[in-house]
Amino acid sequence: MDSSHRKIELQSPSDLSYLTSQIRTTARQKLDLHLPPVTSSTAEPDDLRRSVEDLVDAFVAQVLRGMRQNISINGIDVVNAVDDSDSAMQGIVGGEGEEEKTEVEREEFEAFDEKLRTKLGDAVARRDALIAKISQHRRTTPAVAAKAFEESFEREEEEVAGKWVGLEERVKEVREGDVAGVESGVRQEEVQRNWERAVEGLQALNKGLPETRARLERAGDVVGYLGGK
């Protein structure tokens, strides 16, 4: 057998017991259908049925052996479980000739619980309310979201426009300040030139003071001489 082939996974040994009993029951029903058993106590044994029954049992045993090699229960191989003599698998996966127990599946019903029914009804009502709410959201939420986005976009656009106007006014003020600064710079240069000319005039006057003083002294001497005559 190819080890890479995925095995059939069962949840518990009872599942394997159920499959085994169903296979054996079906085989027995087919045998009884085609070769009905002799019910009379005085009749001779039916050799044909006994031979066919032995062949059917051998075939069923062969099928079950092949099935066990391809089945795992909760991740444990059934064949390994038989080799390890697991007590939980005894009577379910035994080899040929071992007596197997047939389990009868029974359905059990719990008693009617009014509280549980009320709780289930409340859960169904909440589910229906949520479904109705979701349906309402599907009808109204897109329009509400679109309107909210439009209002937000218009508000942001107004804010950007206001900031742009303020920026233009600021640029205008800066330009006017630059012009005033240029004019004040021109006047400052003119005052500085006048100051330089005045300083140069004072320097020239300061240089001519000794000569003027000497002239005044000579003129005083001349006036004194003429007055003495």
Side-chain angles (χ1 to χ4, degrees):
M1 176 184 172
D2 187 4
S3 59
S4 62
H5 182 72
R6 183 174 180 179
K7 294 186 177 182
I8 301 173
E9 298 178 359
L10 300 180
Q11 300 298 323
S12 65
S14 61
D15 296 336
L16 180 58
S17 176
Y18 175 76
L19 293 175
T20 302
S21 63
Q22 289 296 315
I23 292 173
R24 291 188 179 277
T25 301
T26 302
R28 180 66 60 179
Q29 290 176 354
K30 290 292 184 180
L31 181 62
D32 293 340
L33 176 63
H34 296 284
L35 294 174
V38 178
T39 58
S40 177
S41 59
T42 59
E44 296 180 356
D46 191 349
D47 296 335
L48 178 60
R49 176 183 169 83
R50 186 181 301 108
S51 299
V52 174
E53 186 175 358
D54 293 339
L55 293 174
V56 170
D57 291 340
F59 175 74
V60 170
Q62 183 179 0
V63 171
L64 293 177
R65 282 197 302 270
M67 182 181 68
R68 295 185 192 107
Q69 294 177 358
N70 294 276
I71 289 179
S72 63
I73 299 177
N74 289 329
I76 301 176
D77 294 338
V78 174
V79 175
N80 293 335
V82 174
D83 295 339
D84 295 338
S85 299
D86 189 357
S87 60
M89 304 297 294
Q90 295 296 332
I92 298 176
V93 296
E96 182 180 359
E98 295 183 0
E99 183 180 0
E100 298 185 359
K101 298 180 181 179
T102 303
E103 295 184 359
V104 180
E105 183 178 2
R106 294 183 301 175
E107 294 184 358
E108 297 181 358
F109 299 93
E110 295 183 0
F112 181 76
D113 190 349
E114 181 64 25
K115 293 182 179 180
L116 184 60
R117 188 195 68 81
T118 304
K119 188 176 181 180
L120 178 61
D122 294 340
V124 173
R126 288 196 299 270
R127 183 203 63 182
D128 295 340
L130 289 175
I131 292 175
K133 190 174 182 180
I134 291 173
S135 300
Q136 183 179 2
H137 276 299
R138 287 179 177 177
R139 292 191 299 268
T140 60
T141 300
V144 174
K147 185 177 180 180
F149 176 78
E150 183 178 359
E151 293 177 354
S152 176
F153 181 79
E154 292 178 354
R155 184 168 55 254
E156 292 179 358
E157 187 176 4
E158 291 177 357
E159 292 177 358
V160 171
K163 292 180 180 179
W164 181 258
V165 172
L167 182 61
E168 289 181 347
E169 293 179 355
R170 178 61 180 168
V171 170
K172 185 177 180 181
E173 292 176 358
V174 171
R175 289 178 179 176
E176 292 177 354
D178 292 341
V179 172
V182 171
E183 292 179 354
S184 62
V186 173
R187 293 184 59 189
Q188 184 177 1
E189 291 178 357
E190 184 178 358
V191 171
Q192 186 174 359
R193 286 196 299 270
N194 294 333
W195 173 263
E196 290 177 354
R197 285 197 297 269
V199 170
E200 291 176 356
L202 289 175
Q203 289 178 354
L205 181 61
N206 189 21
K207 291 180 180 180
L209 283 177
E211 183 179 357
T212 303
R213 183 177 181 181
R215 289 179 180 178
L216 289 174
E217 289 178 354
R218 286 197 298 272
D221 293 339
V222 171
V223 171
Y225 176 75
L226 293 176
K229 289 182 175 182

